[in-house]
């Protein structure tokens, strides 16, 4: 059996999503489907193309998120466990994507959390939070971050987890004492 959607019930001469474009209409059963790109079917090509497209979408998501949070930031509300007061802040990342910063206005960040010290980033899925919050936990603090909507929360979660993993896999920096010896 072939991996593309137009030939799941048997071999077909056409496969949507390939590079070659013939602009033909494919009929499957009693449904007629038109594809912008239709080409001869190749076994397993759709699965590989799907993986490549998913990889490209993820790279674009990360790039766009990084540009947004470094340049302008994302408006959020935070509640720090120690203070228990809600603050209207801007979520930002430093240029090296190594620390999460919450800015209450121009000047300096109100809360700074290096990603290397963040122990967990979790989604909060309760009715009370309307499923649009993240919790960032480090050894020194816990911050609940409320986003405008679930989509923004999910995008931030995905990217922050990836940035957190990349920081965790970096080789340790040599200390200033070791460089001086």
């Amino acid at each position: 059996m072939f991996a593309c959607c137009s030939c799941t019930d048997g071999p077909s001469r056409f496969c949507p999503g390939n590079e070659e474009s013939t602009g033909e209409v494919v009929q499957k059963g009693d449904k007629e489907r038109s594809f912008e790109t239709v080409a001869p079917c190749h076994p397993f090509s759709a699965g590989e193309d799907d993986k490549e497209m998913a990889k490209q979408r993820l790279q674009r998501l990360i790039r766009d998120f990084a540009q947004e949070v470094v340049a302008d930031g994302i408006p959020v509300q935070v509640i720090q466990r120690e203070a228990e007061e809600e603050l209207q802040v801007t979520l930002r990342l430093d240029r090296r994507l190594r620390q999460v910063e919450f800015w209450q206005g121009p000047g300096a960040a109100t809360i700074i959390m290096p990603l290397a010290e963040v122990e967990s980033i979790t989604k909060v899925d309760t009715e009370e939070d309307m499923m649009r919050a993240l919790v960032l936990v480090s050894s020194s603090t816990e911050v609940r971050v409320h986003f405008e909507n679930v989509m923004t929360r999910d995008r931030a979660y995905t990217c922050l987890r990836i940035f957190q993993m990349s920081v965790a896999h970096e080789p340790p920096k040599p200390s200033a004492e070791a460089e001086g010896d």
Side-chain angles (χ1 to χ4, degrees):
M1 185 178 304
F2 296 95
C4 64
C5 61
S6 67
C7 44
T8 54
D9 52 343
S12 173
R13 10 175 277 192
F14 299 107
C15 179
N18 231 328
E19 295 299 319
E20 304 166 27
S21 179
T22 61
E24 297 192 37
V25 175
V26 175
Q27 185 152 354
K28 184 175 176 183
D30 56 353
K31 293 183 181 177
E32 189 174 281
R33 300 165 75 188
S34 176
F35 298 102
E36 291 178 13
T37 56
V38 179
C41 190
H42 301 286
F44 306 109
S45 64
E48 292 168 10
D49 289 345
D50 288 346
K51 285 181 184 178
E52 186 62 32
M53 287 179 61
K55 180 180 172 182
Q56 289 173 358
R57 277 194 311 270
L58 182 60
Q59 288 172 339
R60 190 174 29 245
L61 173 82
I62 292 167
R63 183 189 65 233
D64 293 348
F65 179 81
Q67 288 174 347
E68 181 180 0
V69 295
V70 169
D72 302 322
I74 299 172
V76 296
Q77 294 136 0
V78 297
I79 300 174
Q80 197 169 7
R81 179 181 53 187
E82 297 80 20
E84 287 298 325
E85 70 177 276
E86 189 171 299
L87 301 172
Q88 299 288 332
V89 297
T90 302
L91 167 66
R92 299 193 65 190
L93 288 172
D94 68 321
R95 286 180 179 220
R96 299 185 75 176
L97 306 174
R98 291 194 173 135
Q99 69 183 17
V100 179
E101 303 170 346
F102 298 98
W103 293 65
Q104 202 163 8
T110 308
I111 303 167
I112 297 174
M113 297 179 77
L115 283 170
E117 296 175 14
V118 172
E119 297 167 359
S120 71
I121 300 172
T122 54
K123 293 180 186 180
V124 178
D125 290 330
T126 64
E127 290 293 324
E128 173 186 316
D129 290 311
M130 296 186 301
M131 300 185 339
R132 38 181 203 103
L134 289 179
V135 177
L136 285 76
V137 178
S138 73
S139 57
S140 60
T141 191
E142 179 179 311
V143 178
R144 182 180 294 250
V145 185
H146 294 265
F147 292 86
E148 185 179 331
N149 56 49
V150 176
M151 189 175 80
T152 305
R153 188 265 325 246
D154 289 346
R155 186 177 83 143
Y157 172 79
T158 300
C159 294
L160 289 173
R161 288 285 294 138
I162 290 170
F163 297 150
Q164 180 190 31
M165 288 186 281
S166 70
V167 169
H169 288 92
E170 287 182 350
K173 292 182 185 177
S175 66
E177 293 174 5
E179 288 177 4
D181 290 340

